Amino acid sequence: MLTPGSEALTQKVRADFGPSVQIMVGWTVWNGRPGRSATCGILAAPAATPADYSSVLQLRSRVIKIGADLTGHVAFHDTSATQSVRVLTESPIEVVVTKPGTRRVVGVFTGAIAGTAAALLLVPGESQNVAVVGGTGRCDGGIGSALPPGRYDAVAEVSGVAIDGPDGPGGQPPPTYFTPFVRIQVVR
């Protein structure tokens, strides 16, 4: 299993080990030539973000090389003057890449993620950051393992936010929220 965009290395692996070795580049099978990528789905419709709460995806760079990973964090903020907010999420938070202006996922992180559940308690006026992981592994059904150069959007699902307590209003699980989309550019 190789990282997205490593097609040149696959030829060396094939030359050393022959066709008996299955080679994956990102989520794409390589069998002597670049394969067709898998197809990811469409993000769920977002729930309306509660008043007095915000989450913002902050990437270290908005210019990403083909096959590279996205790094940064999601900044959570409780803007309320009186009420605490509990954020139920994961750490790190996964970022996906979408076709600009849509919720169609076209790029993902294809490596292993060692994470845990996170339950942040934000008191009024407090901010906390949670690291993110994302990638440019192609999942738009195109040929190759990495997203081609171009402009895309990045977004993170931040799971649930509970205003009335750890289980949400009335003891129900809280709805799912997303950060606002961030425009990125994939370059050679």
Side-chain angles (χ1 to χ4, degrees):
M1 183 136 195
L2 301 171
T3 58
S6 299
E7 278 83 358
L9 179 58
T10 60
Q11 294 173 0
K12 182 175 176 9
V13 172
R14 181 55 55 95
D16 289 348
F17 297 100
S20 61
V21 174
Q22 180 179 359
I23 302 173
M24 295 288 294
V25 185
W27 280 357
T28 306
V29 174
W30 190 88
N31 192 13
R33 58 182 166 66
R36 184 167 298 280
S37 70
T39 303
C40 288
I42 297 173
L43 294 174
T49 303
D52 301 330
Y53 158 80
S54 68
S55 64
V56 177
L57 174 59
Q58 297 178 339
L59 297 174
R60 283 202 185 112
S61 176
R62 291 184 181 203
V63 178
I64 314 297
K65 288 193 174 194
I66 291 175
D69 294 334
L70 289 76
T71 58
H73 64 268
V74 172
F76 295 96
H77 187 69
D78 180 351
T79 59
S80 167
T82 60
Q83 198 161 18
S84 294
V85 173
R86 182 171 306 276
V87 179
L88 307 174
T89 190
E90 56 192 25
S91 179
I93 297 170
E94 187 174 5
V95 174
V96 296
V97 179
T98 64
K99 182 178 175 183
T102 74
R103 301 187 70 76
R104 163 112 11 233
V105 177
V106 296
V108 293
F109 182 74
T110 60
I113 300 174
T116 62
L120 310 175
L121 180 62
L122 302 174
V123 297
E126 184 180 17
S127 294
Q128 290 187 36
N129 296 335
V130 176
V132 300
V133 63
T136 55
R138 190 173 196 170
C139 65
D140 64 354
I143 300 295
S145 63
L147 285 173
R151 295 191 184 278
Y152 301 93
D153 290 333
V155 66
E157 178 183 319
V158 294
S159 296
V161 176
I163 304 298
D164 293 343
D167 292 326
Q172 298 299 312
T176 298
Y177 302 101
F178 294 88
T179 61
F181 287 84
V182 172
R183 181 62 45 101
I184 64 170
Q185 182 174 2
V186 174
V187 298
R188 289 201 185 280

